[in-house]
Amino acid sequence: MSASEQNFGSPAPGSSDPIGASAQRKAAVRLLPIIGIGYGLAYMDRINISFASLRMNTDLHFSATVYGIGAGLFFVGYALCEVPSNLLLLRFGPRRWLARIMLTWGLLAAAMVFVRTPAQFYGVRLLLGISEAGFFPGVIYYLTLWFPAKMRARAVSRFYVALPISTVVMGILAGWLMGLQGTFGLAGWQWLFLLEGLPAAAFSFIIFTALPDSPKNAKWLTAEEKSWLQHQLERDQSHAHIGDEAGVLRALLSPKVWMIGLFFFSALTCNYAYGFSAPAILQAATGWSVGRIGILIATFGLAGAAGMLFGASSSDRTGDRAWHCIIPCCVMAAGFLIAGYGRPGWIVVVALGTSFVAFMALQGPALALPTQFLAGRAAAAGIATMNTITMLSGFVGPYWMGRTKDATGSYNLGLRGLAIPSLVAAALMFFLTRSLARGTVPAAPLEMVEEPI
């Protein structure tokens, strides 16, 4: 890879700026924990059916294919409404729109307690996806209003670390909640949905009151800090491949947007295929109880959180995005292949844990890429388009695992097949970053700070 490719997105030289450091630190402390908690609740409500399925499928007589379709329909609804949702966020403002999303998805997640038939299961999961559509791309766009491009891998990782941490919380809670079987006439899986859905609805009020729409609305920033942020972000926009003046349509049709979308589609196909089946796969490999499997998945989550923070920090420090994504994708492929053939059970555990950590490590560098070649309304539309493509992976992955499980009686073939999209993701990232490096115009030095967040 050429030097220009290796340095794509690298921090430009510049002296430490105390005003900039203060502005970034305030934004990180005030915003990222709130966004992180919101996304953590979203992810738990999205994937908690993986634990619920251990008993729900038996209670409701759902086959693995029925379960896989229901798990995946969430992402169909999400994908269909992704772009409209992000454009509505521009109209109503991030604070109002993100709060609306949290309120509706929390109520629908709790409504899973009423599911009795496959049709009801499909319907609630589809509505849950529609209601949550736009949250993640909306947050990524929101971060472009607060953090300069050269700092965004770390900014993204500081909120997105909620994803692996949510698996820790879910793993610890799942055994206890499932143990409430029969309490007040509800099954354990019903308690799981109820007590993980209602907190999201309640948290929407914190989103509404605590998130300013932009730096100019932040009472906790000084005039000098607001000016510094505006100056830095205007520089980012001036060097974007597709800026505010490009319009929504150009962003929707950009080959680069589609390439990054297909990269995430490939990588997330693997993650969702594994994630929605992880408790069943690990239980089959180890013979452990639901509670012990929850602790194991929680351990994976802690390791994944460390991997995510390390990958983002290393990517921002070195300026490399490509290899911080390509190498983890190759590790994922190897892990899925080993897990698909592995015996005894501890080999399956180690291989899947390694694949999960590798997936988490690539998130910060990969999510920083689209905000470096998109800006303004084009960023809102482009990121939503990217995520629309990506979200379809949530249907393909679980459906693949369900069908192969029903056809073969085990998850081994499904796991081995995940090596293919892992390697496709690595190839897509290689060609995308080469394309971006060829089209990059050297930017003027930014007044950067060493470790603002």
Side-chain angles (χ1 to χ4, degrees), residues 399-443:
Y399 182 74
W400 163 254
M401 294 299 281
R403 287 302 299 267
T404 55
K405 171 66 164 58
D406 281 343
T408 66
S410 79
Y411 289 104
N412 291 342
L413 176 61
L415 287 171
R416 293 196 295 269
L418 298 181
I420 296 173
S422 299
L423 295 175
V424 169
L428 284 166
M429 181 55 66
F430 177 77
F431 289 114
L432 172 64
T433 49
R434 284 180 66 89
S435 173
L436 289 172
R438 285 195 298 268
T440 298
V441 178

Side-chain angles (χ1 to χ4, degrees), residues 268-343:
L268 279 163
T269 293
C270 301
N271 183 62
Y272 285 125
Y274 156 73
F276 280 105
S277 304
I281 294 171
L282 293 171
Q283 191 172 57
T286 62
W288 290 354
S289 67
V290 174
R292 292 186 69 187
I293 292 298
I295 297 299
L296 177 60
I297 289 177
T299 303
F300 285 2
L302 288 174
M308 179 180 288
L309 294 174
F310 174 79
S313 179
S314 175
S315 176
D316 274 355
R317 185 176 62 253
T318 62
D320 170 77
R321 303 298 190 212
W323 292 106
H324 280 75
C325 297
I326 293 170
I327 292 173
C329 286
C330 294
V331 172
M332 287 167 56
F336 288 127
L337 278 175
I338 293 170
Y341 287 105
R343 296 289 186 277

Side-chain angles (χ1 to χ4, degrees), residues 256-268:
K256 293 180 177 66
V257 168
W258 281 79
M259 284 184 74
I260 192 70
L262 289 171
F263 165 81
F264 276 111
F265 172 86
S266 300
L268 279 163

Side-chain angles (χ1 to χ4, degrees), residues 49 52 56 60 62 106-125 127 184-187 189-195 198:
I49 60 168
M56 179 186 72
L60 302 181
F62 289 172
L107 294 176
L108 281 165
M112 282 289 294
V113 300
F114 301 111
V115 165
R116 295 292 182 274
T117 67
Q120 292 170 350
F121 181 44
Y122 297 159
V124 175
R125 288 291 294 179
L127 289 174
F184 296 113
L186 296 178
W189 57 268
Q190 290 175 306
W191 281 111
L192 183 70
F193 290 129
L194 187 65
L195 295 184
L198 293 181

